[in-house]
Amino acid sequence: MLFILLGAFLLYVGAEALVRASVSLATRAGVSALVAGLTVVAFGTSAPELSVSISSALEGKSGIALGNVVGSNIFNIAVILGIAALIHPLQIHLNVIRRDIPIMIVSSGILLALIATGTVSALAGVGLLASLAAYLFFTVRLAKKESRPADEIPSLLTKHWLLDGGVLLVGLAVLIFGSRLFVDGATSLAKSLGVSDAIIGLTIVAAGTSLPELATSVVAALKKQSDIAVGNVVGSNIFNVFCIIGATSVVTPIDATGIELRDSLTMLGLSLVLLPFALTGRRISRMEGLVFCGVYAGYVFFLWPR
């Protein structure tokens, strides 16, 4: 339990440094708040999931590696967007509705299909990484055509991009160390409670590695920066499937037998529900946020062993 708490703390500290430095570097490059949320912030806050999944898979803990991603995607939509919407209704950019949420739904469907086969091979991983490259290419290409208002430009972290880069590297190192502690603690806890690696990955590990996304979106909601709050979650979910599952399966094939159809269907279902919620006035209301939180509470209730 001490390893879990210390690991979660280091994950948060490392991700905070990584996100701040990444946003600062993106600002210097002239990237909009929405694009930064979908790419730099989303990928930065997903770094814990990446390090946890790869290290778990290398240690033969495929249940934690895959459950971490599925659980994180569920947690991101149901809890993070739910809490952020409860704090302040989230305005949804039209581009997110037309492009990014549908891509997130497709990525969830692809992962569901891979889980149904019982394994995620190295070849499938290459395909997922290629999909990520295509998504990034078109997102950046479209970003160059979009202008951003001056009030959307965040402040710089330091006075020089080299200092931002140094903070980014330190944050990444802390993330890797924290993820190692977290996986060790979660595995020990699973054995002591008689709970499977898959369930631990779907709940405790998923929630712990999603702390950076939670902190980022909550702060963004408090500051009424909906683009960052929403883009962070949607971009993270896309990154989790295309990059984390892709990179992990290239390193070592992932055994998907520990993840039940119920879990992957919950992930896909929440992704599908997000689209009509976003279409109603192009916003996620407090009531819709409450619905998301209620769905997650019910999911964990039925998932956790008695």
Side-chain angles (χ1 to χ4, degrees):
M1 201 64 192
L2 180 61
F3 275 16
I4 290 176
L5 294 174
L6 180 58
F9 173 74
L10 292 177
L11 284 170
Y12 175 78
V13 171
E16 181 73 12
L18 183 65
V19 169
R20 288 180 179 273
S22 299
V23 171
S24 185
L25 288 170
T27 300
R28 296 181 193 276
V31 177
S32 69
L34 176 60
V35 174
L38 286 165
T39 55
V40 179
V41 176
F43 297 176
T45 54
S46 288
E49 285 94 333
L50 177 61
S51 54
V52 165
S53 291
I54 290 180
S55 60
S56 297
L58 287 174
E59 294 173 5
K61 303 166 187 172
S62 295
I64 286 183
L66 187 56
N68 176 38
V69 168
V70 175
S72 290
N73 281 14
I74 293 172
F75 187 88
N76 285 351
I77 296 176
V79 177
I80 297 179
L81 278 186
I83 291 176
L86 286 173
I87 293 172
H88 187 270
L90 302 173
Q91 297 297 321
I92 311 294
H93 198 284
L94 188 59
N95 285 342
V96 175
I97 298 174
R98 289 177 174 175
R99 180 188 66 212
D100 302 296
I101 292 179
I103 291 175
M104 182 185 69
I105 293 172
V106 170
S107 68
S108 298
I110 291 173
L111 184 55
L112 170 62
L114 291 174
I115 291 174
T117 66
T119 184
V120 183
S121 65
L123 182 59
V126 171
L128 291 174
L129 291 174
S131 299
L132 175 68
Y135 172 71
L136 288 176
F137 174 78
F138 286 109
T139 299
V140 173
R141 185 176 181 180
L142 291 173
K144 293 180 179 179
K145 300 178 181 180
E146 298 175 358
S147 59
R148 58 177 185 167
D151 59 359
E152 284 191 0
I153 302 176
S155 58
L156 298 177
L157 179 63
T158 69
K159 295 182 179 180
H160 199 279
W161 69 268
L162 281 176
L163 294 175
D164 288 348
V167 174
L168 186 147
L169 293 176
V170 171
L172 182 59
V174 174
L175 277 172
I176 293 173
F177 181 64
S179 67
R180 178 74 183 193
L181 287 178
F182 201 96
V183 170
D184 290 344
T187 302
S188 298
L189 182 62
K191 292 179 179 179
S192 65
L193 296 177
V195 179
S196 69
D197 283 349
I199 292 179
I200 290 293
L202 284 163
T203 55
I204 297 175
V205 176
T209 54
S210 292
L211 287 176
E213 285 96 330
L214 178 60
T216 301
S217 290
V218 166
V219 170
L222 288 170
K223 295 182 178 180
K224 301 181 180 180
Q225 295 178 345
S226 296
D227 282 346
I228 292 291
V230 176
N232 175 37
V233 167
V234 175
S236 290
N237 281 18
I238 294 172
F239 181 83
N240 285 350
V241 175
F242 287 157
C243 182
I244 296 177
I245 296 299
T248 303
S249 59
V250 167
V251 173
T252 178
I254 301 175
D255 179 12
T257 55
I259 305 298
E260 297 186 14
L261 185 62
R262 165 202 59 204
D263 306 312
S264 48
L265 281 175
T266 300
M267 174 187 64
L268 178 59
L270 284 169
S271 300
L272 289 168
V273 169
L274 178 59
L275 187 57
F277 276 13
L279 285 171
T280 55
R282 285 170 52 185
R283 67 200 291 266
I284 301 177
S285 67
R286 286 190 172 91
M287 180 57 67
E288 290 165 338
L290 186 61
V291 169
F292 275 145
C293 291
V295 168
Y296 189 77
Y299 170 71
V300 172
F301 176 79
F302 288 107
L303 176 69
W304 201 259
R306 305 297 185 269

